[in-house]
Amino acid sequence: TIGEGAFQQCKKLESINLPEATSIGNNAFSYCTNLTSVELPANVVNNETMLTDIFGINCKQRITFIKAK
Protein backbone atom coordinates (compact mmCIF):
# COMPACT_ATOMS: atom_id res chain seq x y z
CA THR A 1 0.00 0.00 0.00
CA ILE A 2 1.28 3.46 -0.99
CA GLY A 3 -0.39 6.30 0.90
CA GLU A 4 -1.97 9.44 -0.52
CA GLY A 5 0.71 11.97 -1.54
CA ALA A 6 3.51 9.63 -0.37
CA PHE A 7 6.02 10.58 -3.08
CA GLN A 8 4.38 13.77 -4.33
CA GLN A 9 6.93 16.20 -5.83
CA CYS A 10 9.80 13.71 -5.54
CA LYS A 11 11.98 15.16 -8.31
CA LYS A 12 14.67 12.43 -8.10
CA LEU A 13 12.26 9.56 -8.76
CA GLU A 14 12.81 8.26 -12.32
CA SER A 15 11.17 4.83 -12.35
CA ILE A 16 8.82 2.71 -10.25
CA ASN A 17 8.49 -1.07 -10.17
CA LEU A 18 5.49 -2.10 -8.07
CA PRO A 19 4.24 -5.32 -9.70
CA GLU A 20 2.32 -6.44 -6.60
CA ALA A 21 0.83 -3.11 -5.49
CA THR A 22 -2.65 -3.52 -4.08
CA SER A 23 -3.49 0.07 -3.20
CA ILE A 24 -2.05 3.44 -4.27
CA GLY A 25 -3.43 6.67 -2.84
CA ASN A 26 -4.39 9.76 -4.82
CA ASN A 27 -1.49 12.01 -5.82
CA ALA A 28 1.01 9.45 -4.52
CA PHE A 29 3.33 10.27 -7.43
CA SER A 30 1.98 13.57 -8.76
CA TYR A 31 4.53 16.23 -9.72
CA CYS A 32 7.33 13.65 -9.95
CA THR A 33 8.60 15.45 -13.03
CA ASN A 34 11.49 13.07 -13.81
CA LEU A 35 9.35 9.94 -13.57
CA THR A 36 9.35 8.23 -16.98
CA SER A 37 8.76 4.51 -16.37
CA VAL A 38 6.23 2.76 -14.16
CA GLU A 39 5.49 -0.96 -13.75
CA LEU A 40 2.17 -1.66 -12.04
CA PRO A 41 -0.45 -4.43 -11.95
CA ALA A 42 -2.64 -4.55 -15.07
CA ASN A 43 -5.78 -3.49 -13.19
CA VAL A 44 -4.08 -0.17 -12.32
CA VAL A 45 -2.49 0.47 -15.74
CA ASN A 46 -5.79 -0.15 -17.57
CA ASN A 47 -7.73 2.43 -15.57
CA GLU A 48 -7.20 5.92 -17.04
CA THR A 49 -8.96 7.71 -14.18
CA MET A 50 -6.89 5.90 -11.59
CA LEU A 51 -3.66 6.78 -13.41
CA THR A 52 -4.56 10.46 -13.44
CA ASP A 53 -5.52 10.35 -9.75
CA ILE A 54 -2.20 8.73 -8.81
CA PHE A 55 0.26 10.37 -11.24
CA GLY A 56 -1.41 13.65 -12.19
CA ILE A 57 -2.76 15.25 -15.34
CA ASN A 58 -0.99 14.42 -18.63
CA CYS A 59 0.81 11.46 -17.06
CA LYS A 60 0.27 9.34 -20.18
CA GLN A 61 2.29 11.85 -22.28
CA ARG A 62 5.44 11.65 -20.13
CA ILE A 63 5.36 8.21 -18.49
CA THR A 64 5.60 4.75 -20.05
CA PHE A 65 3.31 2.38 -18.16
CA ILE A 66 4.20 -1.31 -18.13
CA LYS A 67 1.70 -3.97 -17.08
CA ALA A 68 3.24 -6.25 -14.45
CA LYS A 69 2.86 -9.94 -15.14
Side-chain angles (χ1 to χ4, degrees), residues 3-57:
E4 185 172 328
F7 294 94
Q8 189 172 15
Q9 297 185 13
C10 183
K11 307 293 186 208
K12 294 185 179 187
L13 192 59
E14 296 177 1
S15 66
I16 299 169
N17 183 346
L18 300 170
E20 297 180 20
T22 57
S23 175
I24 303 174
N26 285 349
N27 297 309
F29 298 99
S30 62
Y31 303 105
C32 295
T33 54
N34 290 314
L35 185 60
T36 58
S37 176
V38 174
E39 182 174 353
L40 293 171
N43 62 320
V44 175
V45 176
N46 287 332
N47 186 326
E48 296 280 333
T49 301
M50 188 178 286
L51 289 177
T52 300
D53 290 346
I54 296 169
F55 296 97
I57 298 171

Side-chain angles (χ1 to χ4, degrees), residues 52 55-63:
T52 300
F55 296 97
I57 298 171
N58 298 326
C59 62
K60 296 281 281 187
Q61 285 79 23
R62 60 184 173 79
I63 302 172

